[in-house]
Amino acid sequence: MKLSKKKFVADFTRTLHERFALSLEDSSNYEFYMSLGILTRAYYAKAWQKSTEQLKRNQSKQAYYFSIEFLPGKLLKSNLLSLGIYDTVAAGLKDLNLDLDELANYEPDMALGNGGLGRLASCFMDSLASCGLPGNGNGIRYNYGLFKQKFVDGYQVELPDSWLTSGNVWEVRKENKAVEVGFGGEVYLVPDGSGGLQPLYENQEILRAIPYDTPVVGYQNDIINQMRLWSVEIPLREEGKYLTVEQRKAVEDITAVLYPDDSSEAGRLLRLKQEYFFVSAGLQSIHNYFTSLGLPIEDFPSKVAIHINDTHPALCVPELMRLLLDVNGLTWEKAWDLTVKTLSYTNHTILQEALEKWPIFMVQSLLPRVYQIIQEIDARFVAEKTPQVGPTLVRNTRIIQDGVVHMANLAIIGSHSTNGVAKLHSDLLKNVVLHDFYLLYPERFNNKTNGIAHRRWSQLANPALSQVLDETIGTTWRKNIEDIALLKAYREDDEVLKALHAAKRHNKERLGQLILEKTGVSVSPDAIFDVQIKRLHAYKRQLLNLLHIVKLYLDLKENPQLAMVPRVFIFGAKAAPSYDYAKTIIKCINEVANLVNHDDTLQGKLKVIFLENYNVSLAEVIIPAADVSEQISLASKEASGTSNMKLMLNGALTLATLDGANVEIRDAVGEENIYLFGLTVPEVYGYYQRGDYCAMDYYHADPVLQKVLNAFVNGVIPNIQQEGHVIFESLLNYNDEYFVLRDFASYVAAQAAIEADYQNQRHWTQMSLQNIASMARFSSDRTIESYAADIWHIESKQ
Ligand code: 26Q
């Protein structure tokens, strides 16, 4: 949109006055932030209305991304950028002696997700709008987002994240779009008078679902999509009745908190309620919209594509069947055909223990009608497939088995597409994890490698790099990310290399400042900034990183004069509250940090920084400053990873196993611009097959490993009496589930190569340039375009 600085300043002053009855002089940053939000909303209001009306008028096919998590972070700056008024607003504020960055900090980080899966959903929202594709989000408006993490004596402590307390400027409550969602009771099928059966519900508990819509502003294209998040309320007709505090709380609990990714949380009734709540509300609202178009129900799949993000919304399958059977009165065959054509599913994990299963009795008592339908789907699947493929394959793939409902099986059988999130992951799904389903439905399987919203992760997070790009290759990359490859031509250009180096240094100073403020530790921008930021999980092997740090520490203690390029190891990670082993690793990293950061004999060569409360906003400061990107999961365990892509875009060099999307990063940048180490997938599977991994052998054979592991139990690392033993035993007595010891030597060697290479700054920056220039294929614009073309069949309005 067009906006002059003068008009902005006038609008802003007026908004402050109208909303808060305050002058500039009497306002505080909170009112400045709110007014800026309100004004931004006014700037996009017309485009939002127009986008909505146009979709309805054209009866365009739309996609709906059902996800129990969204992780958008802060929206102010990204909305300004998308509207094309970022620079004008920043300059206008500056004239008023205000700083956009400072005001933007007042916005609470919207953290309605755990990690990769939720952030991916938000990157997809951004790309859908920016590519002009009609796509909507559908999820839950949790009153409390992911817990806030604090460290107390090195231990993780969780605090509530009450992000809504001072209001949310972006959301719009849509009272007239509320729907009802029913739980429990009994259901009977009674004749409907025309030869069919109609469900009769008794003693059902009815709840009200209220949608809150948040606009998703497309990048400078006047297109605005929306993310619809549902909040639970007591139905109006119940409001008149007396409800106890407990009864009210039981209702409100449904959208109160986001579950932290946590296998011990599996099987919790409240989680199942959440899943059905947002699935049913979302499907009803789509169904109402479709009905308002006045088209025959047969057209449903040509107007609506519904995506199941992981199995959490897999109840879409029986719930859509329920609507088509019970509301539209379709036959089973017709309803099933439309359901399968409408739905598609993404798998995000190959960890067997993470595949969702629900005990029959829970599904049956909470959702009696839905369970009837699941039973019927299962029975028809068995009847149809057994003659075709035999009983063994059917036993391994049916939905109801051993007293539980297998959600992945439900999602695959009830949809027309199942995709993995990186080539390697999709191949593992076909050949190993979901092999039996692949035999049944080979045409349903496909790959969609993840991507990232490059606008947030470069333009917003890294203005210094963006400016170098603008000055070197022009500004077209901002709109067409393919053009970033133009940078490759400057590999030998010393001016450009110098500018890239200076931008990195600037970002390292910015992060150094933040580290000093948050931890009191000062770090040198001359050091290698080595970054591992992701959820804390054993398979991601933060422990491998830590073992290497302890090795460096011991080396320096043995030989204080050892020549070493100074290193700052930076961690950001939350552990699920009940994941004890992950919390043990956090404690150990913090104690090593404590030891190392306060030992003057190390002469500043080694620093370990574990920043509290890793979230989207913190990522935006850490990632631009990284030299090394740690992507060191055990091969085959990380479905894709997405921080690997963000770090690469920001010029960090990847230190990686051949896991998830790391393989494709290697293909994009070339072997000589990435540091690979460790077991490959076939090697890992070889160990599983033979069952002959022996962690103890590595310990006995390697004196370095002995010294490093002993440091956890002999007092060298202080204050970890308990925790040190837990780590030691997990590696030796419990035989090291994720092959940390097996990969240790090759990891150390790769780290040594990094240190050697970093000393040639010119060459290092050349490799960094190659990484930046090769990132286009990891833009979520590309990912989303291929979902749109291959799975959803939706079209761009641009
Ligand atoms: C399970 C049970 C009870 C409560 C919560 C959960 C739960 C919550 C979150 C289970 C899984 C998740 C999230 C998984 C996730 O983030 N997976 C990551 O998805 C990314 C996007 O595709 C990939 O890049 C990562 O490799 C994958 O780990």
Side-chain angles (χ1 to χ4, degrees):
M1 65 172 285
K2 280 207 179 65
L3 180 69
S4 71
K5 194 168 79 172
K6 198 162 150 229
K7 177 161 182 338
F8 166 71
V9 170
D11 288 347
F12 181 68
T13 323
R14 197 190 58 246
T15 310
L16 255 181
H17 173 68
E18 286 176 359
R19 288 292 169 146
F20 296 102
L22 285 175
S23 68
L24 277 168
E25 296 74 45
D26 292 333
S27 304
S28 68
N29 276 345
Y30 169 72
E31 286 105 17
F32 288 135
Y33 161 69
M34 286 301 282
S35 300
L36 195 50
I38 290 162
L39 183 56
T40 307
R41 220 166 57 187
Y43 286 152
Y44 61 57
K46 196 175 270 170
W48 192 6
Q49 187 181 343
K50 218 176 102 199
S51 290
T52 314
E53 286 170 357
Q54 204 158 30
L55 285 175
K56 184 136 193 181
R57 190 166 347 105
N58 299 342
Q59 304 194 335
S60 320
K61 180 169 186 182
Q62 299 186 48
Y64 299 84
Y65 198 79
F66 277 46
S67 179
I68 205 162
E69 305 194 355
F70 286 94
L71 205 40
K74 301 186 201 287
L75 297 180
L76 176 63
K77 289 206 282 184
S78 104
N79 285 345
L80 293 174
L81 181 72
S82 293
L83 289 171
I85 57 174
Y86 186 100
D87 292 337
T88 311
V89 167
L93 290 172
K94 199 153 177 240
D95 285 0
L96 300 172
N97 257 325
L98 295 172
D99 179 42
L100 174 58
D101 285 326
E102 207 178 307
L103 300 193
N105 268 335
Y106 270 75
E107 179 173 353
D109 209 285
M110 194 174 181
L112 310 185
N114 273 288
L117 169 142
R119 182 55 228 174
L120 184 76
S122 288
C123 284
F124 282 4
M125 287 297 105
D126 176 306
S127 285
L128 278 163
S130 296
C131 296
L133 289 160
N136 311 272
N138 186 74
I140 298 177
R141 179 179 178 271
Y142 302 101
N143 291 331
Y144 295 89
L146 185 62
F147 66 85
K148 288 211 156 120
Q149 179 193 52
K150 278 222 159 305
F151 295 143
V152 176
D153 189 25
Y155 293 102
Q156 168 175 295
V157 173
E158 301 94 22
L159 302 172
D161 167 42
S162 54
W163 68 293
L164 283 168
T165 24
S166 11
N168 171 4
V169 272
W170 310 116
E171 68 185 10
V172 179
R173 180 183 163 96
K174 295 271 173 73
E175 197 83 34
N176 63 339
K177 296 278 192 314
V179 298
E180 294 190 334
V181 178
F183 289 102
E186 296 89 44
V187 66
Y188 308 97
L189 293 180
V190 296
D192 62 1
S194 51
L197 292 170
Q198 182 71 21
L200 180 72
Y201 296 90
E202 274 178 15
N203 304 316
Q204 221 191 8
E205 183 189 18
I206 306 280
L207 302 178
R208 200 158 103 100
I210 305 270
Y212 287 76
D213 291 347
T214 300
V216 184
V217 185
Y219 183 68
Q220 298 178 13
N221 63 0
D222 283 329
I223 295 213
I224 299 197
N225 291 340
Q226 62 194 24
M227 172 174 70
R228 174 161 283 184
L229 302 181
W230 296 93
S231 184
V232 73
E233 285 183 13
I234 291 156
L236 299 175
R237 63 183 129 76
E238 299 283 317
E239 274 293 1
K241 296 184 196 157
Y242 177 75
L243 291 176
T244 64
V245 175
E246 284 73 32
Q247 283 168 325
R248 274 180 192 277
K249 194 174 149 356
V251 170
E252 283 155 10
D253 272 353
I254 294 182
T255 54
V257 288
L258 163 77
Y259 271 95
D261 172 9
D262 200 333
S263 35
S264 73
E265 292 292 351
R268 291 282 172 87
L269 186 66
L270 186 58
R271 172 82 176 181
L272 185 61
K273 282 190 185 171
Q274 290 186 334
E275 293 184 356
Y276 183 66
F277 177 77
F278 91 102
V279 160
S280 178
L283 286 182
Q284 288 183 63
S285 108
I286 294 166
H287 189 264
N288 289 342
Y289 177 78
F290 177 80
T291 307
S292 77
L293 298 178
L295 299 168
I297 191 68
E298 286 70 27
D299 287 1
F300 197 81
S302 59
K303 297 295 167 192
V304 176
I306 294 171
H307 201 79
I308 300 174
N309 190 31
D310 216 292
T311 55
H312 320 137
L315 290 171
C316 276
V317 177
E319 179 67 2
L320 183 54
M321 282 298 285
R322 188 184 71 81
L323 293 173
L324 296 172
L325 293 167
D326 298 352
V327 179
N328 296 96
L330 298 186
T331 62
W332 182 277
E333 290 74 14
K334 190 76 232 168
W336 184 247
D337 178 56
L338 299 183
T339 296
V340 172
K341 281 184 177 146
T342 303
L343 301 177
S344 49
Y345 156 67
T346 297
N347 172 290
H348 293 267
T349 185
I350 56 165
L351 297 185
Q352 206 61 37
E353 67 268 24
L355 289 178
E356 237 189 335
K357 300 172 197 82
W358 289 102
I360 290 176
F361 73 90
M362 275 170 90
V363 183
Q364 192 163 25
S365 56
L366 188 70
L367 309 166
R369 178 65 181 137
V370 162
Y371 186 69
Q372 281 180 348
I373 293 170
I374 294 174
Q375 261 183 322
E376 185 68 21
I377 297 171
D378 183 58
R380 287 180 184 245
F381 171 78
V382 172
E384 184 198 319
K385 292 293 174 193
T386 308
Q388 293 171 13
V389 297
T392 313
L393 203 54
V394 169
R395 204 177 315 117
N396 294 339
T397 51
R398 64 182 292 183
I399 298 161
I400 304 174
Q401 283 174 52
D402 310 323
V404 291
V405 179
H406 292 252
M407 303 303 268
N409 304 14
L410 179 62
I412 298 166
I413 292 168
S415 66
H416 66 277
S417 168
T418 291
N419 74 279
V421 289
K423 278 182 196 158
L424 177 75
H425 169 59
S426 297
D427 286 343
L428 284 171
L429 291 182
K430 285 201 286 198
N431 301 329
V432 186
V433 189
L434 301 176
H435 181 66
D436 289 339
F437 288 98
Y438 181 60
L439 295 175
L440 289 176
Y441 309 110
E443 73 292 347
R444 291 189 184 181
F445 281 76
N446 65 96
N447 172 247
K448 294 285 168 283
T449 300
N450 282 168
I452 57 168
H454 61 269
R455 288 162 286 274
R456 176 174 291 266
W457 299 107
S458 61
Q459 296 190 47
L460 278 184
N462 199 342
L465 173 61
S466 300
Q467 197 186 333
V468 176
L469 292 176
D470 286 351
E471 285 163 5
T472 310
I473 57 172
T475 56
T476 56
W477 67 276
R478 288 178 179 257
K479 191 102 183 151
N480 299 312
I481 192 65
E482 280 75 22
D483 286 354
I484 205 164
L486 295 171
L487 190 62
K488 288 187 185 166
Y490 296 85
R491 206 186 146 88
E492 299 299 334
D493 186 320
D494 284 317
E495 284 300 305
V496 171
L497 295 174
K498 235 170 66 194
L500 284 173
H501 180 76
K504 181 61 80 184
R505 195 179 168 87
H506 169 86
N507 294 327
K508 287 167 81 171
E509 279 164 3
R510 179 173 72 161
L511 176 58
Q513 193 60 38
L514 181 113
I515 289 173
L516 185 62
E517 279 161 26
K518 300 247 175 203
T519 67
V521 178
S522 74
V523 297
S524 160
D526 292 325
I528 302 174
F529 278 25
D530 183 318
V531 168
Q532 188 171 20
I533 40 173
K534 47 188 81 256
R535 284 299 287 259
L536 203 312
H537 204 295
Y539 83 79
K540 294 179 188 282
R541 301 201 294 189
Q542 280 94 351
L543 183 56
L544 178 57
N545 190 343
L546 184 63
L547 296 188
H548 171 246
I549 295 170
V550 173
K551 176 197 178 285
L552 293 181
Y553 169 76
L554 296 174
D555 288 349
L556 282 170
K557 289 310 273 186
E558 216 164 86
N559 177 7
Q561 296 322 315
L562 190 69
M564 191 180 128
V565 182
R567 275 260 199 163
V568 183
F569 290 94
I570 297 161
F571 292 88
K574 289 180 180 175
S578 65
Y579 189 175
D580 291 335
Y581 186 66
K583 289 179 136 180
T584 299
I585 293 172
I586 289 184
K587 168 71 172 167
C588 291
I589 297 174
N590 276 326
E591 290 304 333
V592 170
N594 222 353
L595 174 69
V596 162
N597 295 341
H598 299 108
D599 186 335
D600 290 340
T601 66
L602 305 181
Q603 304 161 34
K605 289 178 202 162
L606 194 57
K607 291 277 156 78
V608 178
I609 306 294
F610 198 150
L611 288 166
E612 272 174 350
N613 200 39
Y614 177 61
N615 62 9
V616 172
S617 300
L618 195 52
E620 288 169 12
V621 188
I622 299 174
I623 290 171
D627 294 309
V628 176
S629 158
E630 300 262 0
Q631 308 299 336
I632 60 178
S633 53
L634 174 65
S636 81
K637 300 300 178 204
E638 190 70 270
S640 161
T642 42
S643 73
N644 46 3
M645 302 169 184
K646 292 162 199 161
L647 284 154
M648 165 200 189
L649 160 66
N650 281 276
L653 299 199
T654 310
L655 168 55
T657 51
L658 282 173
D659 199 15
N662 301 344
V663 178
E664 287 157 81
I665 291 182
R666 187 232 14 219
D667 295 344
V669 303
E671 293 257 7
E672 61 298 354
N673 297 300
I674 188 170
Y675 296 88
L676 298 171
F677 76 98
L679 292 171
T680 61
V681 171
E683 288 166 347
V684 171
Y685 277 72
Y687 276 113
Y688 290 154
Q689 230 155 40
R690 299 185 305 272
D692 64 351
Y693 178 60
C694 181
M696 199 61 97
D697 290 351
Y698 291 89
Y699 178 76
H700 286 313
D702 183 351
V704 178
L705 254 185
Q706 281 164 32
K707 271 199 298 195
V708 169
L709 294 193
N710 293 349
F712 283 77
V713 289
N714 64 11
V716 167
I717 308 170
N719 305 323
I720 55 162
Q721 281 74 6
Q722 276 269 301
E723 294 80 11
H725 278 96
V726 169
I727 299 295
F728 190 87
E729 278 164 25
S730 73
L731 294 175
L732 295 175
N733 300 0
Y734 293 95
N735 204 29
D736 182 17
E737 189 178 355
Y738 296 104
F739 301 83
V740 172
L741 303 192
R742 172 66 177 77
D743 278 350
F744 179 73
S746 71
Y747 180 70
V748 170
Q751 283 284 23
I754 285 178
E755 178 172 348
D757 290 353
Y758 191 79
Q759 296 179 61
N760 182 343
Q761 280 290 302
R762 185 171 190 276
H763 182 232
W764 183 271
T765 309
Q766 285 180 316
M767 293 194 286
S768 169
L769 175 149
Q770 176 71 16
N771 272 266
I772 300 166
S774 309
M775 77 73 58
R777 69 164 94 171
F778 302 108
S779 159
S780 48
D781 289 0
R782 297 297 80 83
T783 313
I784 220 67
E785 272 163 2
S786 99
Y787 275 92
D790 305 346
I791 303 180
W792 301 330
H793 307 295
I794 53 171
E795 278 166 19
S796 167
K797 291 168 282 188
Q798 287 183 303

